[in-house]
Amino acid sequence: MSPVELMSQWSFDGMDWLVIGLGIVVAYIVFGIAGFGTALVAGPLLILFMPLSKIIPLLVLLDFVAAFGNLLQARRDVNKPELLRLLPCMAMGCTLGMVFLLNLHSDLLLLLMGLFISAYALYSLAVKARPAQLAAGWSIPMGTVGGLFGALFGSGGFLYAIYLNSRLPKDAARATQSALISCSTVVRLSLFLIAGVYADLPLLMLAVCLLPAMALGLWCGRRLTMRMSREAFVRLVTWLVLASGIALIGRYLST
């Protein structure tokens, strides 16, 4: 089957492609600055065109490329003890999340995603002071729930960030978070591959078509990082994420 025939199975018109492409660009601008959050930004747009069970594997493929680009730039600052502490819990959470993603009803997933990203946005806006120091034992719930949310909703990175920022200097926390998200994408990619999700050739072709939009978003995000406060930008995005979460909940209630 030719690439054109594979892409024709999505039935997107020109406006659909524009919206999807812009959603991916904006999502990876956020990723380029914050190191996580692609599904929180792109999910509410993409869900207008495809089910969540397709969106998350699609974004995992794109995150796989993006995360390793970030890791290569900061690998020397990675704190290996914290990384090794979080990895087993993250892998267990990813496994649970994938089982839920592939077996729950799509309408329920829509509601859960809306509640999840709204709760995350409200938490981020309300809690201005992060814990000064979390005990190492917090790696178990943070890693497990982060992995669960990562597989189920495409974004558990904010939990890793909360934990690591409380225990490490800024550069080490960011580098370790990039390494953990890179490992998370490998785990999720492997689980989806084992489950046969990537036997869907149109999905793989869609990911290839969206790679330029992902690259453009990453480039813009890295340029913006040099020109503005990361914290101010993430706060603005958080308001947008909250609006998206409320819209998803409203859409569920209206169906």
Side-chain angles (χ1 to χ4, degrees):
M1 188 176 292
S2 71
V4 173
E5 291 174 324
L6 289 173
M7 291 310 301
S8 67
Q9 297 186 30
W10 287 106
S11 302
F12 298 150
D13 60 26
M15 184 57 67
D16 294 342
W17 276 111
L18 178 62
V19 172
I20 292 169
L22 287 175
I24 293 296
V25 170
V26 173
Y28 283 93
I29 289 175
V30 174
F31 189 92
I33 294 174
F36 63 91
T38 52
L40 298 177
V41 178
L45 278 176
L46 295 181
I47 209 164
L48 299 173
F49 307 100
M50 64 188 79
L52 191 62
S53 58
K54 300 289 186 183
I55 294 170
I56 302 306
L58 171 68
L59 292 177
V60 166
L61 285 170
L62 297 176
D63 284 353
F64 178 78
V65 178
F68 274 95
N70 282 352
L71 176 60
L72 290 174
Q73 293 182 355
R75 62 186 182 277
R76 285 180 292 185
D77 292 324
V78 173
N79 184 290
K80 292 181 181 178
E82 291 293 355
L83 180 65
L84 293 175
R85 188 175 287 124
L86 287 163
L87 274 176
C89 303
M90 178 271 294
M92 181 174 65
C94 282
T95 304
L96 291 173
M98 190 204 70
V99 172
F100 291 147
L101 178 69
L102 298 179
N103 290 282
L104 291 177
H105 193 275
S106 59
D107 287 345
L108 179 58
L109 286 175
L110 180 70
L111 175 62
L112 289 175
M113 184 176 186
L115 292 172
F116 166 69
I117 65 177
S118 297
Y120 163 66
L122 288 171
Y123 170 84
S124 297
L125 292 169
V127 181
K128 295 181 173 60
R130 298 295 187 258
Q133 180 75 35
L134 286 177
W138 277 96
S139 62
I140 297 174
M142 290 296 201
T144 303
V145 178
L148 174 68
F149 284 174
L152 189 55
F153 303 120
S155 185
F158 69 95
L159 290 172
Y160 308 145
I162 292 170
Y163 173 80
L164 292 171
N165 286 333
S166 79
R167 292 183 58 82
L168 300 173
K170 181 179 179 181
D171 289 343
R174 183 172 176 81
T176 307
Q177 180 183 333
S178 293
L180 189 62
I181 290 176
S182 298
C183 294
S184 173
T185 59
V186 172
V187 171
R188 287 180 287 159
L189 195 70
S190 301
L191 290 171
F192 285 134
L193 193 62
I194 292 169
V197 174
Y198 293 129
D200 184 352
L201 294 181
L203 181 67
L204 297 180
M205 186 56 61
L206 179 59
V208 171
C209 291
L210 292 175
L211 282 175
M214 179 215 71
L216 176 60
L218 284 178
W219 181 82
C220 292
R222 287 166 185 160
R223 297 280 292 182
L224 284 171
T225 300
M226 296 184 291
R227 297 190 176 190
M228 67 180 296
S229 163
R230 175 177 175 266
E231 288 74 17
F233 184 84
V234 171
R235 193 164 183 82
L236 173 62
V237 170
T238 302
W239 280 105
L240 296 176
V241 167
L242 177 59
S244 298
I246 293 172
L248 286 177
I249 295 170
R251 185 178 174 206
Y252 172 83
L253 295 175
S254 65
T255 58

